[in-house]
């Protein structure tokens, strides 16, 4: 098959070098991570960060996550605390993001943090991302590689379709293993989950006391917009069947195979369902369905993160 995506590259030494050169020049690169694909740029470069916001059409008030190889690299930019060390030791590198106070002398661009005095930092576990980070002497500001308010990409083709030829390099590493974005935890004052993810509250609670972001509390994470993760067509939740000519997202073995049925996990595995969620949204949209109905997904464990995304997609 002809490769129509001329900006997608498999990872090798040559592309690593090209990627590093581009990032050093203030360009942005599409990159795999274990959660979703990201659009990475030098977090210390105004030029690079501006490009990220422009390409994503992202509101300037929605701050970006800064990615590091390890905590030693982040030490110059943020103030660590005991809760951070506890969670870092247990979960990093991995799919969790920490909001911490920014150091005054940090070189992180103020646009990255939407002028807040806090920064969200993450230590991705994906091998490729780590190889890139190892070669840089700056961290990467890296939001999910999609247009603002849409659904995150989980493979290189998704990224290419979001931005077409506007980005020159997308590193291909197959499908992201986790398939939804990292858990975001604020460690300022009482620890709080701002965005649920695959590492759930139950798991975090084993290590420290934590509360969950409530709709009623004032918006603490500027990115927690009510409408987000939208596939661009209406999404209707908690339905047992779909209207005529519409798609139904199902879960579990009791649902038969129909051409408009898309099962997130036949074996009712919530982790598998999470990894299939965005892929399924894109598939349904590509097949031209006008509406998506979704069956009830158990609101436990990884289901909490799935339902969070579904609720926003349906808003
Ligand atoms: O898994 C992920 O986290 C992916 C991969 C690429 O690393 N990245 C990602 O980035 O999901 P993005 O930009 O799509 O989402 C960042 C989230 C937003 O909800 C944003 O508001 C929040 O993190 N955030 C960033 N900085 C913050 C801060 N200082 N305080 C509170 N929330 C912050
Ligand atoms: Mg995003």
């Amino acid at each position: 098959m002809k490769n129509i995506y001329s900006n997608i590259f498999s990872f090798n030494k040559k592309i690593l070098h090209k990627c590093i050169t581009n990032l050093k020049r203030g360009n942005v690169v599409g990159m795999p991570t274990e959660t979703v694909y990201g659009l990475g740029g030098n977090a210390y470069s105004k030029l690079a960060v501006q490009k990220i916001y422009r390409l994503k059409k992202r509101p300037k008030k929605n701050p970006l996550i800064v990615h590091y190889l390890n905590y030693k690299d982040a030490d110059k930019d943020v103030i660590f605390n005991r809760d951070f060390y506890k969670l870092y030791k247990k979960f990093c590198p991995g799919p969790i993001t920490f909001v911490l106070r920014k150091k005054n002398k940090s070189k992180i661009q103020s646009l990255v943090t939407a002028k807040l005095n806090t920064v969200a930092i993450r230590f991705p576990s994906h091998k490729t991302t780590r190889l890139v980070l190892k070669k840089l002497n700056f961290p990467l500001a890296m939001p999910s590689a999609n247009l603002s308010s849409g659904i995150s990409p989980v493979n290189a083709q998704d990224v290419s379709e979001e931005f077409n030829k506007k980005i020159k390099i997308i590193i291909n590493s197959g499908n992201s293993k986790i398939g939804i974005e990292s858990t975001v935890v604020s460690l300022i004052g009482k620890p709080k989950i701002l965005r649920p993810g695959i590492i759930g509250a139950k798991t975090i609670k084993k290590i420290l006391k934590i509360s969950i972001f409530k709709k009623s509390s004032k918006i603490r994470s500027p990115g927690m917009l009510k409408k987000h993760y939208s596939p661009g067509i209406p999404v209707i939740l908690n339905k047992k069947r779909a209207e005529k000519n519409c798609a139904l997202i199902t879960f579990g073995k009791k649902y038969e195979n129909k051409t408009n049925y898309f099962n997130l996990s036949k074996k009712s595995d919530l982790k598998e369902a999470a990894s299939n969620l965005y892929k399924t949204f894109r598939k349904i949209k590509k097949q031209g369905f006008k509406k998506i109905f979704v069956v009830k997904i158990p609101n436990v464990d990884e289901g909490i993160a799935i339902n969070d995304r579904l609720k926003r997609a349906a808003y």
Side-chain angles (χ1 to χ4, degrees):
M1 199 175 79
K2 196 175 152 228
N3 180 11
I4 55 164
Y5 303 105
S6 57
N7 49 1
I8 296 180
F9 300 91
S10 329
F11 192 70
N12 56 35
K13 254 192 172 153
K14 207 173 128 196
I15 201 66
L16 175 63
H17 182 75
K18 200 169 156 179
C19 182
I20 302 300
T21 316
N22 267 275
L23 289 167
K24 284 186 176 163
R25 283 189 191 138
N27 286 327
V28 298
V29 172
M31 243 186 283
T33 85
E34 70 278 19
T35 55
V36 298
Y37 273 63
L39 185 64
N42 181 352
Y44 297 157
S45 153
K46 193 169 178 184
L47 180 76
V49 177
Q50 278 173 336
K51 272 185 197 162
I52 292 175
Y53 277 91
R54 205 182 320 126
L55 277 165
K56 279 186 62 87
K57 299 195 168 75
R58 179 164 175 127
K60 294 260 163 47
K61 62 173 198 290
N62 189 1
L64 309 175
I65 298 174
V66 183
H67 297 63
Y68 298 88
L69 188 65
N70 54 44
Y71 79 97
K72 283 185 199 136
D73 289 349
D75 185 42
K76 54 189 175 303
D77 292 322
V78 300
I79 302 167
F80 297 136
N81 56 32
R82 217 182 298 159
D83 291 339
F84 167 78
Y85 287 119
K86 280 188 198 161
L87 295 179
Y88 181 88
K89 219 169 127 190
K90 178 79 185 167
F91 299 117
C92 293
I96 185 163
T97 295
F98 310 101
V99 175
L100 290 163
R101 290 225 183 278
K102 187 165 92 164
K103 280 190 177 163
N104 284 334
K105 57 173 205 277
S106 160
K107 286 194 283 187
I108 293 175
Q109 285 295 317
S110 62
L111 190 55
V112 169
T113 59
K115 298 199 171 122
L116 298 169
N117 58 4
T118 59
V119 201
I121 62 167
R122 171 159 128 73
F123 310 90
S125 63
H126 197 286
K127 234 163 95 190
T128 308
T129 333
R130 297 187 66 75
L131 282 171
V132 173
L133 285 169
K134 217 175 260 180
K135 296 270 182 206
L136 300 172
N137 55 359
F138 50 81
L140 290 176
M142 187 152 66
S144 52
N146 54 281
L147 294 175
S148 185
S149 90
I151 46 177
S152 296
V154 293
N155 57 50
Q157 283 84 339
D158 292 350
V159 181
S160 192
E161 284 165 21
E162 289 282 332
F163 300 109
N164 300 311
K165 296 282 139 61
K166 286 184 200 142
I167 47 179
K168 286 201 216 104
I169 305 175
I170 302 165
I171 301 175
N172 183 5
S173 182
N175 285 316
S176 290
K177 216 165 141 193
I178 293 172
I180 57 169
E181 308 80 0
S182 62
T183 308
V184 178
V185 189
S186 166
L187 296 177
I188 291 168
K190 233 167 100 192
K192 198 174 268 146
I193 294 185
L194 302 180
R195 179 174 73 184
I198 274 310
I199 298 178
K202 217 162 89 185
T203 313
I204 296 176
K205 269 186 189 150
K206 286 183 192 149
I207 297 166
L208 47 98
K209 268 205 174 133
I210 195 142
S211 56
I212 294 166
F213 175 79
K214 288 260 162 52
K215 237 193 352 223
S216 53
S217 61
K218 73 174 198 272
I219 295 203
R220 290 281 299 271
S221 188
M224 297 299 276
L225 310 172
K226 280 189 187 143
K227 185 180 161 67
H228 204 150
Y229 313 116
S230 165
I233 51 177
V235 176
I236 298 119
L237 305 183
N238 301 327
K239 295 290 172 193
K240 289 200 174 102
R241 53 188 68 85
E243 282 170 14
K244 213 175 155 201
N245 302 324
C246 297
L248 183 71
I249 293 185
T250 60
F251 177 79
K253 63 173 187 290
K254 74 173 185 200
Y255 293 94
E256 39 190 322
N257 293 321
K258 286 191 185 179
T259 51
N260 66 330
Y261 279 21
F262 298 83
N263 205 319
L264 292 180
S265 173
K266 274 256 178 215
K267 52 178 196 244
S268 300
D269 177 337
L270 287 164
K271 234 182 193 162
E272 180 181 55
S275 74
N276 283 325
L277 183 67
Y278 292 152
K279 233 189 297 180
T280 304
F281 272 161
R282 281 184 197 266
K283 204 198 268 173
I284 290 172
K285 202 175 167 200
K286 271 189 196 163
Q287 291 187 17
F289 290 102
K290 295 285 177 280
K291 264 190 213 171
I292 305 176
F293 290 78
V294 189
V295 304
K296 203 169 175 148
I297 308 289
N299 202 34
V300 293
D301 303 327
E302 295 87 0
I304 294 171
I306 298 175
N307 280 305
D308 168 76
R309 307 309 191 270
L310 284 173
K311 244 185 264 160
R312 290 173 211 280
Y315 187 77

